[in-house]
Amino acid sequence: MNYNDYFAQSLNTLKEEGNYRTFAELERRCGSFPQASHHAEETQKPVTIWCSNDYLGMGQHEAVIGAMHDALDRCGAGAGGTRNISGTTHDHVLLEAELADLHGKEDALLFTSGYVSNWAALGTLAGRIPNCLVLSDALNHASMIEGIRHSKAERMIWNHNDLIDLEAKLAAQPLDRPKLIAFESVYSMDGDIAPIKEICDLADRYNAMTYLDEVHAVGLYGPRGGGIAEREGLMDRLTVIEGTLGKAFGVVGGYIAASADLCDFVRSFASGFIFTTALPPAVAAGAAASVRHLKASSAEREAHQQRVAEVRARLDLLGIPHEPNPSHIIPVMVGCPVKCKYISDLLMRDHGIYIQPINYPTVPKGTERLRITPSPVHSAEDIDRLIGVLGDLWAQCELARMPMAAQ
């Protein structure tokens, strides 16, 4: 077998299907985000980013930047080791205390990313609790799926947000069998929200633990940014709340918040925690500053919701189809991988607007989309330009419109 020929053939197949992914080389402009520079073919062009997970623009907030500068001057660049061997700094401890307080839990445990936190925590909990059954929502993130798979525990997939299917699977098990229900609050591609209360009710009835991924909700929802569970007054009913520092908090890292014993259990047994270098102290300090700020300030959340509502309303006026949902994520539906990439390429090349096409396998074939994430730092002029260009491209590509389109 010629290995390189196999690699090339596989990549060509992706390209022919319209599913080959290219990276936009960007240089974010601190103080003027979502404006950035796009580096391509030895040139730089200005672009406006409309698909960032820095949902609130906290990656450039003065409190975050200042805390990182201070920690860099105090501590230097790196943590110097794993958390177990010289890498637990005072900034890590302070951040974990902030996160535990945010979610009303006894403790929190910090990881290098949201992906790792899911992989390590789910893999450890499900793998080490004897005879544990994991009930996983059908649309859970890849990191959750990989963590569950890594655990080698028995798993059942329940239909997305389907309480009837979940209860049927729970009821078929012995009441005393250990069970873990794994699900998300806001699902990142469709933007829909889980029925958290009802899932907790089922967990109580059938003696199950709950594991809630809030990565697309922390910072954005709830009086202090604790997520959907905080907004709905349910944090105390969840066994584990998992979140990220790389989206609304604007930095990088992941975490779980839970009881002190559960966090200590994961800390003591999770290879994904034990054997990796700790986050730099400056990152931990910046994340803690972001969490503290958003606990006290609702201005960013309110402005964010206003921008989202405005973009949705403007899309409706033009009849550009977008998935209706109660969250901040706006999936503009194209339904064709080739046209989806074509529109994305034209937006970047001709109009300086960057929206990454979302194709298979991230979403099912036939549901290709442009995933738009408005933020408080998008201006009225940014919105005007985005909507105008999308309207022109929708006509150019002869894509269907919704019936409420303005004539």
Side-chain angles (χ1 to χ4, degrees):
M1 181 181 192
N2 187 309
Y3 298 112
N4 277 331
D5 284 350
Y6 172 76
F7 301 148
Q9 182 180 355
S10 298
L11 293 170
N12 285 334
T13 300
L14 276 181
K15 292 173 183 177
E16 291 166 3
E17 293 173 345
N19 293 321
Y20 180 74
R21 303 180 185 196
T22 57
F23 294 163
E25 184 180 340
L26 304 170
E27 184 176 336
R28 286 160 52 106
R29 298 178 189 167
C30 184
S32 62
F33 183 76
Q35 308 309 318
S37 295
H38 177 220
H39 293 254
E41 298 176 354
E42 298 183 357
T43 63
Q44 291 186 46
K45 294 182 179 179
V47 297
T48 303
I49 299 174
W50 274 99
C51 56
S52 173
N53 285 339
D54 186 359
Y55 292 132
L56 299 178
M58 291 302 293
Q60 63 180 354
H61 194 280
E62 59 183 10
V64 177
I65 300 298
M68 294 185 75
H69 276 299
D70 174 68
L72 190 63
D73 291 338
R74 282 189 291 108
C75 305
T82 65
R83 289 291 299 274
N84 187 48
I85 304 175
S86 83
T88 293
T89 71
H90 185 53
D91 290 295
H92 293 97
V93 175
L94 292 177
L95 173 56
E96 287 174 336
E98 289 286 354
L99 294 168
D101 174 75
L102 176 66
H103 294 292
K105 297 296 186 185
E106 291 179 343
D107 205 354
L109 190 64
L110 183 62
F111 295 84
T112 51
S113 73
Y115 190 105
V116 173
S117 58
N118 271 333
W119 180 86
L122 282 168
T124 301
L125 291 169
R128 287 203 159 257
I129 297 173
N131 196 32
C132 185
L133 170 68
V134 183
L135 298 109
S136 177
D137 185 283
L139 293 189
N140 276 342
H141 189 262
S143 58
M144 302 176 77
I145 295 168
E146 288 298 327
I148 295 164
R149 182 179 294 137
H150 173 71
S151 77
K152 296 184 171 57
E154 183 183 354
R155 61 187 182 275
M156 290 184 179
I157 311 300
W158 51 287
N159 297 333
H160 177 55
N161 281 349
D162 186 338
L163 296 167
I164 294 174
D165 187 46
L166 175 58
E167 181 166 20
K169 288 177 167 58
L170 286 165
Q173 298 297 315
L175 189 63
D176 62 352
R177 183 180 185 183
K179 295 173 285 287
L180 175 61
I181 304 170
F183 62 108
E184 301 181 37
S185 57
V186 177
Y187 286 84
S188 62
M189 288 300 123
D190 290 333
D192 55 335
I193 294 176
I196 301 174
K197 177 185 180 299
E198 291 77 6
I199 293 171
C200 289
D201 290 343
L202 291 176
D204 292 345
R205 189 177 309 157
Y206 293 100
N207 190 32
M209 297 179 294
T210 49
Y211 184 104
L212 176 63
D213 177 319
E214 288 256 47
V215 296
H216 290 279
V218 290
L220 298 173
Y221 300 94
R224 300 197 308 157
I228 300 295
E230 186 198 23
R231 186 186 72 179
E232 299 180 4
L234 298 169
M235 292 193 299
D236 62 311
R237 299 190 62 189
L238 293 151
T239 311
V240 181
I241 296 174
E242 185 267 348
T244 185
L245 303 167
K247 294 183 170 60
F249 292 127
V251 193
V252 67
Y255 64 90
I256 59 169
S259 70
D261 284 343
L262 190 150
C263 288
D264 199 15
F265 180 86
V266 174
R267 181 190 71 86
S268 299
F269 292 109
S271 63
F273 177 85
I274 295 169
F275 297 107
T276 191
T277 300
L279 286 170
V283 169
S290 185
V291 173
R292 279 194 296 270
H293 176 84
L294 290 174
K295 282 179 182 177
S297 172
S298 61
E300 291 82 4
R301 285 186 286 277
E302 291 170 1
H304 180 240
Q305 291 163 10
Q306 291 169 2
R307 291 287 188 277
V308 171
E310 183 176 354
V311 172
R312 286 190 186 280
R314 297 283 296 276
L315 291 171
D316 284 342
L317 284 174
L318 290 181
I320 294 176
H322 57 95
E323 192 76 17
N325 64 55
S327 77
H328 59 283
I329 293 167
I330 305 178
V332 172
M333 307 307 290
V334 179
C336 168
V338 175
K339 286 186 176 180
C340 195
K341 186 176 186 308
Y342 177 71
I343 292 172
S344 175
D345 289 345
L346 287 185
L347 284 169
M348 179 77 96
R349 188 191 72 194
D350 297 343
H351 304 283
I353 294 172
Y354 172 48
I355 309 176
Q356 185 72 13
I358 307 295
N359 293 342
Y360 178 84
T362 304
V363 295
K365 292 181 179 180
T367 68
E368 292 80 10
R369 65 200 65 185
L370 301 171
R371 179 181 175 273
I372 296 176
T373 54
S375 77
V377 291
H378 284 100
S379 67
E381 292 76 16
D382 291 332
I383 295 174
D384 287 342
R385 197 155 59 88
L386 170 71
I387 298 300
V389 171
L390 280 178
D392 292 343
L393 291 178
W394 230 252
Q396 180 179 331
C397 293
E398 300 180 339
L399 292 167
R401 294 182 186 245
M402 296 184 294
M404 69 280 289
Q407 300 299 319

